[in-house]
Amino acid sequence: MNLYKKIKNKSLQLASLLALQWVVSTSYAHAEIAIIIDDVGYRATDRALLTLPPEITLSMLPHTPHGKELADLASARGHEIMLHIPMESLSGQTLEPGTIYSSMSEQQITQTLETAIAQYPQVIGVNNHMGSKLTQMEKPLAAIMRVLKKHNLYFVDSRTSSASQALIVAQQNGVTAYRRHVFLDNEIDEVAIQRQLNKVLHLATKKQTVIAIGHPHPQTIAVLQRFFAQYTANAIALQRVSDLAPAQTQIAQLNY
């Protein structure tokens, strides 16, 4: 990287941090912010997530080499544990073990989900991994929600598709439901991640509840570590997902 690019990147990082400082100085009296880290369990390096505030919720993929150990450690620290269940995408790509496909019968969906839930006794909620196809389909979604209702688990719609029906179907089946508002790290770059975190904080001054989803990339963890070295979870009204007010099914909100 040449000198010009280094200076430019440093300037962008400084600008992002100054913007964060400005936002954090504002009032969060009526705000509720939750940060979920998805895709946890494949890498031993995911242990770095345990340096983050316990108010951050961790969502574990099923059938992973480090998931059980990390869930135990994180739960002991006070982190809320979710199940990050793989669902069929529009791209048709083969996903991880435990994926729920639209071609499955209700019995197959139920068994797949029950097996995944059984891996993590600490789980109190579920969100979708991928799922841009399946979350648009009412019948398999209803089968999923019946299992979640049985176990008294909440559901967070990761909103991998703007046409997702997951929030509505969850509510129709009596499942406490939420939806994602911001992805922190679609662009895996520290400046971009800082910008998305800034967006979360700005939204929190305008909306009652904001849910952000990130992933255990070293860049994401580094940005969050720097931020929480300066500001407490309480300073930004950071909460575990289960402490949030459930989402309301409104067209304006779903298209947000």
Side-chain angles (χ1 to χ4, degrees):
M1 182 184 294
N2 62 36
L3 181 60
Y4 170 76
K5 287 184 177 179
K6 287 183 179 179
I7 294 172
K8 182 179 179 182
N9 282 346
K10 288 292 184 184
S11 298
L12 287 170
Q13 288 178 354
L14 178 59
S16 294
L17 289 172
L18 288 173
L20 285 171
Q21 290 173 349
W22 179 85
V23 173
V24 171
S25 69
T26 64
S27 172
Y28 291 93
H30 303 291
E32 292 183 326
I33 297 173
I35 296 176
I36 301 169
I37 302 297
D38 282 351
D39 293 1
V40 181
Y42 270 120
R43 297 158 293 272
T45 53
D46 291 354
R47 186 184 286 258
L49 294 168
L50 302 179
T51 65
L52 300 175
E55 289 83 0
I56 288 180
T57 300
L58 304 185
S59 193
M60 323 297 294
L61 283 162
H63 312 292
T64 56
H66 303 284
K68 175 97 172 52
E69 178 191 12
L70 288 169
D72 290 343
L73 292 170
S75 182
R77 288 191 72 246
H79 290 277
E80 193 159 285
I81 304 300
M82 294 174 59
L83 173 66
H84 194 41
I85 192 72
M87 296 185 190
E88 184 177 1
S89 68
L90 287 168
S91 68
Q93 68 187 91
T94 301
L95 298 179
E96 290 84 356
T99 296
I100 296 177
Y101 293 96
S102 59
S103 58
M104 288 179 167
S105 67
E106 178 166 356
Q107 182 179 4
Q108 289 172 316
I109 291 173
T110 299
Q111 184 58 54
T112 300
L113 191 50
E114 290 279 8
T115 299
I117 291 170
Q119 294 175 34
Y120 299 112
Q122 309 94 333
V123 159
I124 64 170
V126 173
N127 71 329
N128 55 294
H129 172 58
M130 306 293 284
S132 53
K133 178 176 180 178
L134 196 106
T135 58
Q136 297 182 45
M137 304 178 68
E138 184 176 349
K139 187 174 180 180
L141 283 174
I144 290 167
M145 298 311 164
R146 282 190 280 273
V147 176
L148 302 194
K149 179 66 174 176
K150 170 188 168 185
H151 290 279
N152 195 30
L153 302 176
Y154 64 74
F155 182 77
V156 177
D157 183 359
S158 299
R159 297 286 292 170
T160 55
S161 166
S162 61
S164 173
Q165 298 298 304
L167 179 62
I168 294 171
V169 175
Q171 292 172 328
Q172 288 173 341
N173 284 272
V175 173
T176 300
Y178 309 89
R179 50 96 79 222
R180 185 269 315 161
H181 299 94
V182 177
F183 276 124
L184 292 177
D185 49 14
N186 272 349
E187 185 179 349
I188 307 174
D189 170 82
E190 290 189 23
V191 172
I193 295 165
Q194 288 170 347
R195 187 165 55 244
Q196 289 300 94
L197 180 56
N198 192 21
K199 180 179 179 180
V200 171
L201 300 178
H202 273 295
L203 287 176
T205 66
K206 301 174 183 179
K207 293 175 60 68
Q208 185 174 3
T209 300
V210 179
I211 295 178
I213 291 180
H215 303 84
H217 304 301
Q219 297 89 336
T220 305
I221 295 172
V223 169
L224 292 173
Q225 284 173 332
R226 282 199 302 269
F227 179 77
F228 287 110
Q230 290 184 279
Y231 305 105
T232 66
N234 186 60
I236 65 163
L238 184 67
Q239 302 190 44
R240 296 168 181 84
V241 174
S242 63
D243 293 327
L244 301 177
Q248 300 298 312
T249 306
Q250 298 173 352
I251 295 301
Q253 185 180 38
L254 290 177
N255 291 334
Y256 183 78

